[in-house]
Amino acid sequence: MGHGHSHDHGPATATAGHRGALIGALSISVVIFAIEIAGAVVTGSLALLADAGHVLADAGGVALALGATMLAARPASGRRTFGWARAEILAAAVNGLILAGMGVYVFVEGIRRLFEPAPVTAGGMALFGVIGLIGNLIGVALLYRAREASLNMRGAFLEVATDAVTSVGVLAAAAAIALTGFTQADAIVSILIGLIIAPRAVRLLREAVNILLEAAPEGVDLEKIRQHITGLDHVLGVHDLHVYTVTSGLPVLTAHVVVDDSCFHDGHAPQLLDAMQACLAGHFDVEHSTFQLEPAGHATHEHATHG
């Protein structure tokens, strides 16, 4: 016997309510990219050119997040019973790869520039750096409140936030070059930016991969869930217990629950199912659950993979 809420439509994802913020951040990133390309041409600054490339990659990441959100809002179908909700996690994984790639690029390019510094116009570099920083800070403000809504929103926020860090690095390098003529400052800042980007990319990728591999959500203790369910009246045991995340904000639980034989004769089973779902929703914030109720002797008929 299974029981749950109505699942005949695509789930509302945690990112869906922040589509406007994503559109705003994407628009700002495109404008910054165009401005910094122009600045690189005018000043001859490789730092601005690299920053423009970073912005372009991040704009692509935000665009992926936005596109995934739109796909996730599509209804479920016979083949995709959860709709396109998992597309958000795929986008988060791609965002993590983009961040990792940019981190490696910035680090390697910084090392090269230590030995091959390029002459730049420090004043123009600073001017375009300020414009980029202001735009990135606006993007950060748009996405700040939504950054914990889902992995997808966190990825988009990190994309824009790393752009802001890069802009600060451009300004610092411009100041050092203007004041001291030390052109290697650009390379040193680039290396530092690469070191900042890499750990964030690894963390985002790890969390996305855990969801794709259907690992238990962070902070969910399966043994505690088992104890809560077996603590209910008429429950004799729990097996084949699985908890995973379809997309951020949508944990799912399935379990086989062994109950007293009397539950199948006195009509108590529906009340027991309600009690289990209320327990999970109240203690573990798991709203989407499916249970198979079994008499004590049913386990002998199950396949060996059920445990």
Side-chain angles (χ1 to χ4, degrees):
M1 178 182 295
H3 184 67
H5 303 293
S6 175
H7 308 315
D8 58 353
H9 54 82
T13 66
T15 308
H18 304 289
R19 193 176 300 173
L22 286 171
I23 293 173
L26 177 59
S27 300
I28 290 170
S29 294
V30 170
V31 171
I32 293 173
F33 169 74
I35 290 174
E36 290 195 334
I37 286 291
V41 172
V42 171
T43 66
S45 170
L46 289 176
L48 277 174
L49 184 62
D51 193 34
H54 188 210
V55 169
L56 179 62
D58 290 351
V62 175
L64 279 172
L66 180 61
T69 301
M70 293 177 177
L71 284 175
R74 296 179 62 177
S77 65
R79 293 187 62 191
R80 296 182 176 88
T81 55
F82 279 102
W84 291 78
R86 185 57 66 87
E88 289 193 83
I89 303 305
L90 292 174
V94 172
N95 283 356
L97 289 172
I98 291 172
L99 281 174
M102 288 308 305
V104 172
Y105 167 76
V106 169
F107 185 82
V108 172
E109 184 69 6
I111 295 294
R112 188 186 69 81
R113 290 180 185 177
L114 281 175
F115 302 99
E116 300 177 13
V120 298
T121 305
M125 181 178 173
L127 174 61
F128 286 102
V130 167
I131 295 173
L133 177 60
I134 292 173
N136 287 321
L137 290 177
I138 294 172
V140 167
L142 286 173
L143 297 175
Y144 181 78
R145 288 189 177 182
R147 72 192 188 283
E148 297 299 335
S150 69
L151 271 181
N152 210 24
M153 291 303 299
R154 191 184 311 175
F157 174 78
L158 288 177
E159 302 277 6
V160 178
T162 53
D163 282 339
V165 172
T166 305
S167 295
V168 172
V170 170
L171 289 174
I177 294 169
L179 296 175
T180 68
F182 182 61
T183 54
Q184 282 87 348
D186 178 44
I188 294 172
V189 169
S190 297
I191 293 170
L192 291 175
I193 290 172
L195 293 175
I196 291 172
I197 292 174
R200 295 180 176 181
V202 170
R203 184 166 58 250
L204 182 63
L205 275 173
R206 183 178 63 246
E207 293 179 7
V209 168
N210 281 341
I211 290 178
L212 292 174
L213 293 178
E214 297 190 349
E218 187 174 351
V220 172
D221 188 327
L222 292 183
E223 189 55 37
K224 285 186 178 180
I225 291 178
R226 192 185 304 274
Q227 290 173 3
H228 274 263
I229 295 176
T230 55
L232 296 172
D233 293 337
H234 307 288
V235 175
L236 303 179
V238 178
H239 64 100
D240 211 33
L241 174 62
H242 301 282
V243 185
Y244 59 95
T245 304
V246 175
T247 188
S248 295
L250 186 60
V252 173
L253 179 145
T254 62
H256 292 208
V257 182
V258 182
V259 301
D260 289 331
D261 289 354
S262 61
C263 292
F264 299 101
H265 304 297
D266 61 12
H268 183 70
Q271 289 83 2
L272 181 57
L273 287 168
D274 289 340
M276 286 190 291
Q277 287 201 315
C279 175
L280 289 173
H283 292 95
F284 303 100
D285 293 326
V286 177
E287 298 284 349
H288 193 299
S289 55
T290 302
F291 298 100
Q292 177 174 304
L293 299 188
E294 304 172 350
H298 182 74
T300 59
H301 306 291
E302 291 190 338
H303 193 274
T305 56
H306 293 279

